[in-house]
Amino acid sequence: MSMFGLKLRTNTPSADVIKILRQFDPDASISNLRSKIIHNDFVYVCDYFDEDGIVTLLNLLHEVEAIKIDVDIYEQSENGDKKINPFLLQNLLEQYKEIEYQIQEIVDLEAED
């Protein structure tokens, strides 16, 4: 199953970036976040079908970029990690909303019968 992951393009953990990361994951330890940044590991990961997780990932992306730290988003799959554009995630969220709307229309039509 595919996952999306967020990596920082820096290996120097600053207090500002750790503060932002902890806002999105309050249970993460500072030492764990520092280690992920230093080792260029994913600082946030979510499932391909996790709409809330994708929204969180995009919000985290914007918060980190606001403090002038470059970020990359990757799609993780059995074929390896592939860098993707944030617009792909925004389009995916729009598709999820459209599917939800279509399902609701079908349910409403069936309820009328």
Side-chain angles (χ1 to χ4, degrees):
M1 180 177 295
S2 292
M3 304 282 285
F4 296 117
L6 187 80
K7 286 186 181 184
L8 307 180
R9 281 194 220 156
T10 180
N11 61 355
T12 306
S14 70
D16 290 337
V17 76
I18 289 177
K19 181 180 175 184
I20 291 170
L21 293 173
R22 291 212 55 210
Q23 287 175 351
F24 290 90
D25 187 4
D27 296 331
S29 71
I30 292 172
S31 62
N32 187 20
L33 292 174
R34 286 177 51 82
S35 177
K36 287 180 178 183
I37 294 168
I38 290 168
H39 294 101
N40 196 31
D41 290 334
F42 292 104
V43 294
Y44 184 81
V45 176
C46 68
D47 185 83
Y48 188 90
F49 299 104
D50 180 4
E51 188 174 343
D52 292 335
I54 294 170
V55 169
T56 299
L57 189 146
L58 289 171
N59 288 335
L60 181 56
L61 169 84
H62 296 302
E63 290 283 328
V64 172
E65 286 182 334
I67 62 169
K68 308 295 184 215
I69 294 180
D70 293 326
V71 182
D72 290 318
I73 301 173
Y74 291 88
E75 180 179 5
Q76 301 172 286
S77 69
E78 58 259 358
N79 298 331
D81 297 341
K82 179 176 118 183
K83 197 183 297 189
I84 62 169
N85 189 306
F87 296 116
L88 177 112
L89 296 180
Q90 291 169 340
N91 288 339
L92 186 61
L93 288 174
E94 288 176 21
Q95 285 179 346
Y96 289 163
K97 286 182 178 142
E98 181 64 29
I99 290 168
E100 184 178 337
Y101 175 77
Q102 290 173 354
I103 290 172
Q104 188 59 47
E105 281 187 329
I106 292 169
V107 168
D108 291 345
L109 286 173
E110 288 179 358
E112 290 176 4
D113 290 341

